[in-house]
Amino acid sequence: MPARRQLLAIIAALGLLLTTLVPCRAQTLTARQSEAVANYDRALGDFKAILAERRRQIDAKQPLPNLPGQALYLARVAVISAYKDLTDAMPSRIGRPNKFEIPPAYFDADIEPLVDEYSKLFEIMEAPPAGAQNSATPFKDVVDLAVAIARAKGLAPDHAEAAGRISLGLFFAETNGKQNVRNGRSNTYMGSFQTGPSEDRNGRRKWETIKAEIAAADPGLSARNDKEEARARGTDHRFNHWTNVRDGLMNAHADVFREIPGIVKTLPDPIDQMKLFELIQIVPTPTRSALKSGDLLNHRVSSPTIMKHLRNNSIFAFGQADRARTSASFREILGAMWLFKRKFEKAMAKYAEIKPR
């Protein structure tokens, strides 16, 4: 019996030893995993550092560098990229969903407060300039202008309403629904629709070609336009909400409104429709080519310049696997626009509020 008890004690001790050794073995990292952990820790530290630096500069009212948001943006891209590389190397690190609706493989929900601070800093850096001409009805303005323009382009009422909804999505995509903002990453693109001077001028010229037709169809909107034109005279029209939205739509999107009947058949999801029109803003030429191809979703882009523009707008920007892409179909591009989804959902909710007008 003593020998049996000794044997049982030995077996129990071996079991205890195994329970302590197995977790240690599970935590042993490969060289790739160790590198991924170190890269993420470094990127996270850099993100925290630049957030703290900008906050300190702003609170102390110190001069900010040129393009003060660029370093913040690049640090955020780096931390998301490093986390995606980490979860590619260690799928067990994929955590819980996050409030930004970023795929969990790309984002650690524990750093949500850092991204909240990121957004707060951009709000400060991109505040409208003194003298910016706000509207009391900024969301309704976007919808009303888009519907009027779409009707002038020959769209039926239901498709013109789709143009209004889509355009409200563009407002949220460009500025999170904030009017007359500046741009922390660019000295060129400004205002509610983030246009450059040449785009603004082009939109104004195009507006003149349909102005009389819109006045005949909608005298009330035409009167509002005359009032805003008078108010903006002698100023940068990009910092009058009405004129910037009007000219931004006329510059890049009005001609594409004619394609809406076909677009809604191919892309019945309203958020996908918003994504496509945002691509008109980001990569206009290949997007128009895709629309003309007759096979929108399978149309591919492979130009290094176009892929660079996509990455600079948070599409295929995160992690080595995404950044290694040399081409993509529009189906894949739309699927990769997950950072825009939350903005478009806000636009849909706002549209539901103002639609009963």
Side-chain angles (χ1 to χ4, degrees):
M1 290 296 292
R4 184 181 178 189
R5 282 198 295 270
Q6 287 179 342
L7 179 60
L8 290 174
I10 291 171
I11 292 172
L14 285 172
L16 179 62
L17 180 63
L18 285 172
T19 60
T20 59
L21 287 179
V22 169
C24 293
R25 177 177 292 181
Q27 292 172 12
T28 300
L29 304 181
T30 66
R32 178 192 175 203
Q33 291 170 336
S34 296
E35 181 181 9
V37 170
N39 287 342
Y40 179 65
D41 289 344
R42 186 181 309 112
L44 184 56
D46 291 344
F47 189 39
K48 291 177 179 178
I50 189 61
L51 288 171
E53 180 182 1
R54 284 292 177 273
R55 173 57 68 183
R56 184 170 57 253
Q57 291 170 333
I58 289 171
D59 289 349
K61 295 182 169 50
Q62 295 176 354
L64 298 180
N66 184 43
L67 307 182
Q70 184 67 0
L72 287 174
Y73 170 77
L74 293 176
R76 189 198 63 161
V77 169
V79 82
I80 297 176
S81 293
Y83 191 73
K84 180 59 165 60
D85 290 338
L86 175 59
T87 59
D88 282 346
M90 300 175 64
S92 62
R93 289 292 298 265
I94 298 175
R96 67 185 187 279
N98 55 84
K99 68 180 183 180
F100 304 114
E101 301 182 34
I102 298 173
Y106 289 80
F107 188 79
D108 181 357
D110 288 343
I111 72 166
E112 285 178 351
L114 297 180
V115 178
D116 286 336
E117 171 69 354
Y118 172 93
S119 298
K120 291 174 185 176
L121 291 172
F122 264 91
E123 283 188 20
I124 296 169
M125 294 184 296
E126 297 186 336
Q133 298 174 342
N134 281 1
S135 168
T137 54
F139 307 109
K140 183 175 182 295
D141 293 353
V142 174
V143 175
D144 287 350
L145 278 164
V147 169
I149 292 168
R151 293 289 283 155
K153 294 292 182 179
L155 267 67
D158 57 338
H159 290 135
E161 288 294 327
R165 182 183 64 242
I166 289 166
S167 298
L168 192 59
L170 295 174
F171 182 30
F172 276 85
E174 291 299 312
T175 69
N176 287 312
K178 297 178 176 64
Q179 55 182 320
N180 293 326
V181 297
R182 290 176 289 189
N183 191 320
R185 298 179 54 213
S186 172
N187 292 325
T188 300
Y189 299 101
M190 304 286 176
S192 299
F193 259 55
Q194 293 289 286
T195 54
S198 63
E199 295 165 323
D200 186 67
R201 289 192 297 269
N202 188 50
R204 290 168 70 177
R205 285 194 298 268
K206 288 185 174 182
W207 172 259
E208 291 299 321
T209 66
I210 65 170
K211 182 178 178 179
E213 183 177 353
I214 287 179
D218 193 338
L221 186 138
S222 180
R224 170 71 187 281
N225 183 73
D226 291 344
K227 178 181 177 181
E228 295 299 333
E229 281 278 7
R231 186 161 74 124
R233 188 172 296 121
T235 70
D236 187 337
H237 276 210
R238 294 177 300 163
F239 290 115
N240 172 291
H241 174 72
W242 176 276
T243 56
N244 185 239
V245 169
R246 181 199 70 192
D247 298 338
L249 288 173
M250 288 303 304
N251 171 69
H253 302 99
D255 291 338
V256 188
F257 283 168
R258 295 191 181 99
E259 308 294 332
I260 284 179
I263 289 170
V264 298
K265 288 182 180 179
T266 303
L267 301 173
D269 183 346
I271 288 181
D272 283 341
Q273 298 162 19
M274 292 175 180
K275 288 180 181 179
L276 184 68
F277 271 82
E278 179 61 14
L279 289 172
I280 292 289
Q281 192 91 342
I282 296 169
V283 285
T285 300
T287 305
R288 290 191 181 99
S289 296
L291 285 168
K292 293 176 182 177
S293 71
D295 192 7
L296 168 64
L297 292 175
N298 291 315
H299 186 81
R300 296 191 73 82
V301 296
S302 56
S303 161
T305 300
I306 298 305
M307 296 300 290
K308 179 181 178 181
H309 286 321
L310 291 173
R311 291 190 178 99
N312 196 45
N313 286 274
S314 300
I315 304 166
F316 304 128
F318 307 110
Q320 295 179 20
D322 282 354
R323 295 185 69 85
R325 281 179 169 271
T326 58
S327 70
S329 69
F330 269 77
R331 187 189 306 276
E332 292 167 331
I333 294 169
L334 293 171
M337 294 178 72
W338 36 262
L339 268 183
F340 292 89
K341 182 182 176 185
R342 190 164 177 254
K343 297 180 179 184
F344 292 146
E345 287 174 342
K346 290 180 180 179
M348 291 286 290
K350 183 59 68 176
Y351 182 77
E353 288 179 17
I354 64 177
K355 186 180 178 181
R357 71 192 185 282

